[in-house]
Amino acid sequence: QVQLVESGGGLVQAGGSLRLSCAVSGRTFSGYTMAWFRQAPGKDRIFVATITGSGGRTYYADSAKGRFTISRDNLENTVYLQMISLRPEDTAVYFCAAGPLGTGISSSTKLYNYWGQGTQVTVSS
C-alpha cells in the first residue's frame, strides 16, 4: 500500500509563493509517476503537473506553465510543487497522486491509483 501525505499549503497574497510537499511511504517510490491535481469548491479535480519516476520528464497544465515547478527527491521519497506568482484563481485543495505508469505521464485522474488527503491553498487578492 502506498500512502501520500501533503503539506505546505496555506494562505498567501496574490503574487506570492508556496512550496507543497508530498511524502510517500510504501512501495518503491521511484517506480511511480507522481502528479499534482487541484480542486476548487464546486468544481472537478483538475490536472496541474506530473513527473516521471526518474524525474526526467515533466508536463504541466497550461495554467501552471511558467509559474509552477514539479520536482521529486527519490532518496527522500518526496515530490514537490513550487508555485510562484500565485493568483486568486489558484485557490483550491491540492492533491498529490501516484500512478504505476512506468516511464509514462498522464493528466488523467483515472490513471493514478493512490491519492493524498489534500492541502488547502488560498490566494487572496
Side-chain angles (χ1 to χ4, degrees):
Q1 187 72 9
V2 176
Q3 297 171 334
L4 293 75
V5 179
E6 301 98 334
S7 61
L11 174 64
V12 63
Q13 289 188 332
S17 302
L18 281 174
R19 188 176 82 155
L20 306 183
S21 299
C22 175
V24 182
S25 62
R27 297 185 178 180
T28 306
F29 177 64
S30 61
Y32 285 87
T33 293
M34 300 298 299
W36 289 94
F37 290 79
R38 68 187 185 188
Q39 188 167 18
K43 295 189 177 181
D44 292 336
R45 191 170 299 188
I46 62 172
F47 169 75
V48 176
T50 185
I51 187 168
T52 52
S54 68
R57 283 179 69 196
T58 58
Y59 178 68
Y60 297 89
D62 287 345
S63 61
K65 288 178 182 176
R67 300 188 302 126
F68 295 2
T69 302
I70 189 171
S71 62
R72 65 190 295 161
D73 184 336
N74 284 351
L75 294 179
E76 295 293 330
N77 284 13
T78 302
V79 63
Y80 303 97
L81 185 68
Q82 177 69 50
M83 305 185 292
I84 65 171
S85 302
L86 283 162
R87 305 165 180 165
E89 53 265 40
D90 294 319
T91 296
V93 177
Y94 283 70
F95 295 91
C96 174
L101 304 183
T103 57
I105 53 177
S106 175
S107 60
S108 171
T109 58
K110 297 178 181 179
L111 297 184
Y112 292 89
N113 302 57
Y114 303 102
W115 293 82
Q117 82 291 347
T119 186
Q120 177 70 47
V121 171
T122 303
V123 184
S124 63
S125 57

